[in-house]
Amino acid sequence: ANACSVSYAVNEFTRPEKLDSMNRWRCSSCKNYVCPKKQLTVFRPPLSLCIQLKRFTFSGVNYGGKWSGGGGGKINKRIEFPTSLKLPLSDRRTCRYMLHGVVSHIGSSSSSGHYTAFVKKPTQSEKKKWYHMDDSHAQEVSEKTVVQNRHA
């Protein structure tokens, strides 16, 4: 909830956490109950990494599988995302991912708005071109435009 960047969120997700006294384990060595540390890590990284941010909030009540009231308000908090992300692995190595696309929602709720996308054209040259895709329109944009997009 407090993340301001994808990098920060990944670091928090993989940060070691000490469990409280309500979650004690019995130590196999000393046979005492202890408050252990736990950590979520990635053992086998995927070839492609897709990160989805929760950008809508719902305040209704679920009545037998149907939502009543509330609707889905848009969370407009700016989240920074890098063009290169290092994902820490369980063996202390990192896996590097390059940004290739960003989907944006322009609108104020989950029930209305418009989706567009920024995509990087695969090329052999060092200079990668980015495009903004909006329905049947495509426009070349700078990488700076992509990472500063406030709707991502």
Side-chain angles (χ1 to χ4, degrees):
N2 294 326
C4 58
S5 73
V6 169
S7 300
Y8 177 82
V10 167
N11 287 336
E12 283 297 296
F13 183 74
T14 59
R15 179 179 53 85
E17 176 183 356
K18 187 164 184 167
L19 299 178
D20 62 18
S21 61
M22 297 298 292
N23 293 294
R24 293 185 301 165
W25 289 355
R26 187 173 177 156
C27 175
S28 59
S29 298
C30 69
K31 307 297 185 217
N32 291 326
Y33 284 93
V34 296
C35 296
K37 287 183 183 176
K38 74 168 187 162
Q39 182 176 14
L40 299 174
T41 61
V42 175
F43 179 70
R44 231 179 268 159
L47 293 176
S48 296
L49 180 67
C50 296
I51 297 174
Q52 180 178 348
L53 304 176
K54 285 180 66 175
R55 298 302 262 169
F56 301 103
T57 180
F58 294 89
S59 59
V61 178
N62 186 346
Y63 291 107
K66 294 184 179 182
W67 285 93
S68 174
K74 174 92 177 266
I75 299 170
N76 287 308
K77 180 179 180 179
R78 169 112 167 84
I79 304 292
E80 293 177 12
F81 51 92
T83 57
S84 175
L85 177 71
K86 289 184 178 178
L87 182 68
L89 304 178
S90 56
D91 62 3
R92 307 255 187 253
R93 292 180 303 138
T94 58
C95 186
R96 185 172 171 230
Y97 292 95
M98 301 303 295
L99 185 66
H100 288 277
V102 177
V103 176
S104 298
H105 177 269
I106 302 159
S108 60
S109 74
S110 63
S111 59
S112 68
H114 182 67
Y115 284 95
T116 66
F118 293 93
V119 294
K120 185 167 37 172
K121 181 179 180 182
T123 63
Q124 297 299 325
S125 70
E126 285 294 314
K127 181 76 173 138
K128 307 292 187 194
K129 291 185 178 182
W130 282 92
Y131 290 89
H132 182 226
M133 313 301 274
D134 186 350
D135 292 337
S136 62
H137 305 293
Q139 177 184 5
E140 188 174 338
V141 295
S142 68
E143 185 173 84
K144 182 178 179 180
T145 299
V146 176
V147 297
Q148 290 182 346
N149 174 22
R150 64 184 184 90
H151 299 291

